[in-house]
């Protein structure tokens, strides 16, 4: 790193420029990742907050399983409860509607979940009221409605008392409200449904495929079940593609810079080789230099993302976590180094003989 | 001491091969500046490239001390250059980002890690910069030095690792006669003081007084045996 550090000092303008580009791309990637995470959280945190090892949805005659289309009848519930290896089956009803606080002129969109009291502990299960006249509000629902414990809210024409306010849970960009199964069935019928639950949250270790096949259902791990939310796959797919393209741009920009930079230094590299520099030391020098630039640029970018993300969190669906900061930063560094490695060919192939003025 | 023993070097030339060095044998003893001269294209620089282990000859041996450098692997030849051979190029070939002092310090870092303590290397570098008359210029970069000063830094750099062999390629080609004379005198003095075996390529015999011995190369052959240069 002897020459690398001094090159960084000597050509600081060029390195500040490429470092700034890396910081800018990191800012874009970090911000997109934070937004993607925030949007994803507003889409699926209610689903991820359900109890059980797998979620069982109705298998449609054609197409993929869907939370919005699934209906689980009583025979299916009975079959899953009776299946060997099943420890617990929690029927869950999910329907989207509108709710308003008593006396308010306008209503807000909500996701109404119906679960039995006493379901295994989870973010959503912990919201569930013990009686049919109460509701549990997620933090988002309470904020959107401006409701507090003891207030009365209206859902699909019926009034309920706010019994508890719990953690944050969202479903398809609407905050979750939890009702008892009977109260939920009433809401579902008033909204045009038949009152049957839409999902089973199953715990245990049965032969998942066999039971699913015999009941015409699909049993998916909770994390992968989010693909049954149509809005989630399309939304995250678009944002993920943008992030992937930015990763590619980052690798190309860093690779192009270090390729040009190393080619400009080809004569110096040949001289160092002629003086006795090992190829290994020159490669370490080149990669070390790239790593310094990448870490500096990425560090600045991620710091700005963290600051802006914490400010924007109140007004935007922005998720600030290691998953949306450190992970993209690590990928940026790895891809940047891969790009810089393209330039190593100039280092490894530099001919020390060219350092002589004439070789014949 | 460096000895080239019956060296032959050819290069591809279309379907045939052209002979750049044709059965050349020579010895450069310690403490002596041995000049190699000849017309352009005569093979002078090819001889230097073989002596510097930058190119492997078709046949023959290059003895640097007890080591046959022509038989070494690429990595071993690189290590030999680092430890036992000092090279002064036709152009000074200094690294633009390094100061004069750092041009010397980098020589201790070429193997990947410093083999000596940084303090000892700094002392050695400062001694050498004093020896070439640049003690007041150690923090200047190449762009801030004159051509003669740059070549002095290159000479000091070549001597940092205390090599037994000093190979010098046309050191005065980019200098005027006065500066060229100073560089040649400096090389002769350092060769005697440090007892290096100095092999110096030149086509300009204006400064032949600085040479102890002179070999003439024509068409790849050493046409005259090394003879002591009469002042």
């Amino acid at each position: 790193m002897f020459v690398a550090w001094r090159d960084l000092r000597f050509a600081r303008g060029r390195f500040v420029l490429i470092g700034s580009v890396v910081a800018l791309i990191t800012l874009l990637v970090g911000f997109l990742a934070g937004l993607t995470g925030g949007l994803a959280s507003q889409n699926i945190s209610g689903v991820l907050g359900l109890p059980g090892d797998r979620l069982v949805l109705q298998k449609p005659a054609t197409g993929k399983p869907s939370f919005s289309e699934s209906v689980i009848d009583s025979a299916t519930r009975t079959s899953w409860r009776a299946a060997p290896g099943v420890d617990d089956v929690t029927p869950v009803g999910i329907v989207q509607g509108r709710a308003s606080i008593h006396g308010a002129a306008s209503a807000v969109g909500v996701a109404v979940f119906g679960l039995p009291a006493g379901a295994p502990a989870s973010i959503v299960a912990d919201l569930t009221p013990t009686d049919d006249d109460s509701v549990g509000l997620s933090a988002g629902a309470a904020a959107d409605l401006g409701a507090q414990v003891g207030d009365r809210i209206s859902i699909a024409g019926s009034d309920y008392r706010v019994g508890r306010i719990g953690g944050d849970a969202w479903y398809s960009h609407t905050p979750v409200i939890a009702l008892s199964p009977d109260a939920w069935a009433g809401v579902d019928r008033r909204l045009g449904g038949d009152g049957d639950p839409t999902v089973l949250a199953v715990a245990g270790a049965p032969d998942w495929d066999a039971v699913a096949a015999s009941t015409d259902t699909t049993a998916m791990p909770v994390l992968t079940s989010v693909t049954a939310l149509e809005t989630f796959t399309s939304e995250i797919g678009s944002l993920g593609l943008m992030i992937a393209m930015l990763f590619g741009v980052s690798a190309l920009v860093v690779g192009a810079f270090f390729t040009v930079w190393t080619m400009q230094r080809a004569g110096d590299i040949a001289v160092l080789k002629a003086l006795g520099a090992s190829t290994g030391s020159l490669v370490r020098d080149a990669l070390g230099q790239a790593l310094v630039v990448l870490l500096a640029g990425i560090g600045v970018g991620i710091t700005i993302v963290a600051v802006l993300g914490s400010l924007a969190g109140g007004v935007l669906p922005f998720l600030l976590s290691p998953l949306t900061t450190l992970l993209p930063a690590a990928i940026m560094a790895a891809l940047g180094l891969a790009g810089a490695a393209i330039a190593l060919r100039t280092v490894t192939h530099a001919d020390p003989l060219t350092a002589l003025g004439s070789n014949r | 001491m460096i000895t080239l023993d019956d060296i032959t070097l050819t290069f591809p030339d279309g379907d045939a091969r052209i002979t750049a060095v044709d059965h050349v044998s020579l010895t450069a003893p310690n403490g002596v500046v041995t000049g190699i001269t000849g017309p352009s294209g005569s093979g002078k620089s090819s001889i230097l490239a073989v002596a510097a282990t930058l190119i492997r000859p078709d046949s023959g041996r290059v003895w640097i001390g007890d080591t046959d450098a022509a038989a070494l692997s690429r990595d071993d030849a690189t290590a030999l250059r680092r430890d036992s051979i000092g090279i002064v190029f036709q152009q000074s070939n200094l690294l633009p980002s390094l100061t004069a002092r750092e041009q010397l310090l980098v020589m201790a870092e070429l193997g990947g890690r410093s083999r000596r303590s940084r303090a000892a290397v700094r002392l050695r570098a400062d001694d050498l910069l004093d020896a070439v008359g640049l003690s007041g210029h150690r923090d200047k970069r190449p762009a801030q030095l004159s051509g003669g000063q740059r070549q002095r830094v290159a000479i000091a750099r070549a001597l940092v690792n205390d090599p037994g062999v000093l190979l010098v390629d046309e050191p005065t080609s980019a200098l005027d006669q006065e500066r060229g004379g100073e560089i040649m005198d400096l090389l002769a003095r350092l060769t005697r003081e440090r007892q290096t075996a100095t092999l110096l390529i030149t086509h300009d015999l204006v400064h032949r007084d600085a040479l102890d011995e002179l070999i003439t190369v024509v068409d790849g052959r050493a046409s005259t045996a090394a003879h002591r240069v009469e002042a």
Side-chain angles (χ1 to χ4, degrees):
Chain A
M1 289 291 287
F2 186 90
V3 177
W5 283 115
R6 284 152 185 83
D7 277 345
L8 287 168
R9 183 185 63 190
F10 180 66
R12 68 174 74 89
R14 271 173 280 185
F15 285 108
V16 165
L17 202 60
I18 186 64
S20 303
V21 171
V22 171
L24 193 62
I25 295 174
T26 306
L27 178 63
L28 288 172
V29 167
F31 220 81
L32 262 180
L35 278 176
T36 305
L39 287 169
S41 175
Q42 282 203 347
N43 230 333
I44 62 171
S45 59
V47 173
L48 297 181
L50 289 174
D53 298 316
R54 293 202 180 195
L55 298 183
V56 172
L57 284 91
Q58 183 186 28
K59 188 174 185 178
T62 58
K64 297 196 304 183
S66 161
F67 277 97
S68 58
E69 302 290 330
S70 176
V71 175
I72 305 291
D73 59 28
S74 61
T76 303
R77 297 197 293 273
T78 304
S79 297
W80 272 99
R81 282 199 177 101
V86 170
D87 297 332
D88 184 76
V89 174
T90 303
V92 180
I94 302 174
V95 66
Q96 286 184 286
R98 298 180 70 76
S100 59
I101 192 166
H102 191 69
S106 60
V108 298
V110 293
V112 184
F113 279 45
L115 291 87
S122 70
I123 292 175
V124 175
D126 292 348
L127 297 175
T128 310
T130 53
D131 60 86
D132 295 343
D133 295 326
S134 297
V135 296
L137 301 185
S138 63
D144 283 2
L145 289 164
Q148 296 177 335
V149 173
D151 287 348
R152 296 199 69 79
I153 66 167
S154 174
I155 305 171
S158 291
D159 281 358
Y160 303 90
R161 189 182 70 85
V162 177
R164 62 181 68 177
I165 295 173
D168 212 17
W170 295 74
Y171 173 85
S172 206
H173 297 294
T174 49
V176 169
I177 293 179
L179 275 69
S180 70
D182 287 344
W184 180 87
V187 170
D188 187 48
R189 287 192 195 96
R190 289 195 297 278
L191 291 173
D194 56 14
D196 276 332
T198 54
V199 182
L200 297 181
V202 180
D207 183 344
W208 295 104
D209 291 341
V211 181
S214 67
T215 55
D216 224 13
T217 55
T218 57
M220 293 185 280
V222 175
L223 191 60
T224 55
S225 72
V226 298
T227 57
L229 263 168
E230 293 86 350
T231 53
F232 174 74
T233 47
S234 59
E235 189 176 274
I236 298 305
S238 308
L239 290 167
L241 183 64
M242 278 190 254
I243 293 173
M245 288 173 73
L246 279 172
F247 280 140
V249 168
S250 166
L252 279 174
V253 167
V254 173
F257 172 82
F258 279 101
T259 298
V260 172
W261 168 248
T262 310
M263 286 173 73
Q264 285 177 340
R265 293 179 59 236
D268 292 345
I269 292 166
V271 168
L272 285 168
K273 280 190 166 182
L275 293 174
S278 63
T279 300
S281 72
L282 292 171
V283 166
R284 282 192 295 276
D285 220 47
L287 285 182
Q289 193 175 58
L291 191 60
V292 168
V293 173
L294 283 167
L295 291 182
I298 290 170
V300 169
I302 286 298
T303 303
I304 297 172
V305 167
V307 172
L308 291 182
S310 59
L311 293 175
V315 290
L316 288 174
F318 194 92
L319 181 66
L320 193 61
S321 81
L323 203 64
T324 58
T325 51
L326 298 184
L327 181 64
I331 295 173
M332 284 276 295
L335 290 177
L337 272 185
I342 296 168
L344 291 181
R345 185 181 158 78
T346 305
V347 174
T348 56
H349 284 66
D351 185 357
L353 193 58
T354 58
L356 292 180
S358 165
N359 56 20
R360 293 206 179 192
Chain B
M1 186 165 74
I2 179 169
T3 298
L4 275 59
D5 180 14
D6 198 24
I7 295 294
T8 295
L9 176 68
T10 63
F11 291 111
D13 184 31
D15 292 335
R17 294 188 74 82
I18 188 167
T19 301
V21 181
D22 191 0
H23 296 285
V24 166
S25 296
L26 63 87
T27 295
N30 291 345
V32 168
V33 180
T34 302
I36 299 177
T37 190
S40 295
S42 60
K44 306 185 296 293
S45 289
S46 293
I47 291 172
L48 192 81
V50 170
T53 74
L54 294 175
I55 192 166
R56 191 192 291 263
D58 294 39
S59 64
R61 293 164 185 271
V62 178
W63 293 101
I64 293 176
D66 297 329
T67 304
D68 179 7
L72 295 177
S73 67
R74 188 186 292 256
D75 288 346
D76 288 341
T78 300
L80 183 74
R81 280 201 301 279
R82 191 160 62 231
D83 295 333
S84 304
I85 302 173
I87 304 176
V88 179
F89 303 98
Q90 191 168 337
Q91 306 297 322
S92 59
N93 280 351
L94 301 179
L95 304 183
S97 62
L98 306 189
T99 64
R101 191 195 215 190
E102 289 167 345
Q103 306 282 348
L104 277 63
L105 298 180
V106 75
M107 295 298 290
E109 310 283 340
L110 297 181
R113 74 174 68 156
S114 181
R115 292 164 298 146
R116 292 177 278 175
S117 78
R118 293 262 161 86
V121 177
R122 275 197 293 273
L123 273 178
R124 171 94 177 142
D126 289 345
D127 277 353
L128 280 165
L129 286 174
D130 284 348
V132 299
L134 290 178
S135 53
H137 302 274
R138 55 183 65 142
D139 294 324
K140 291 183 178 174
R141 292 205 173 88
Q144 298 167 295
L145 298 170
S146 68
Q149 288 170 329
R150 284 198 290 270
Q151 202 58 298
R152 284 168 185 268
V153 175
I155 291 167
R157 177 177 68 182
L159 295 169
V160 164
N161 287 337
D162 206 14
V165 174
L166 183 61
L167 304 175
V168 189
D169 186 18
E170 304 268 15
T172 62
S173 63
L175 304 177
D176 61 38
Q177 196 161 321
E178 183 184 347
R179 303 281 179 275
E182 289 171 2
I183 291 296
M184 292 295 281
D185 290 343
L186 176 65
L187 283 166
R189 176 168 63 81
L190 292 172
T191 296
R192 279 191 292 278
E193 285 175 3
R194 294 166 194 275
Q195 285 296 297
T196 58
T198 300
L199 203 55
L200 186 148
I201 304 292
T202 182
H203 71 277
D204 180 3
L205 293 178
V206 173
H207 308 297
R208 63 187 300 164
D209 292 356
L211 305 175
D212 298 306
E213 307 215 359
L214 184 63
I215 297 168
T216 303
V217 177
V218 177
D219 292 337
R221 286 187 288 275
S223 62
T224 54
H227 64 277
R228 187 153 291 279
V229 176
E230 299 299 333

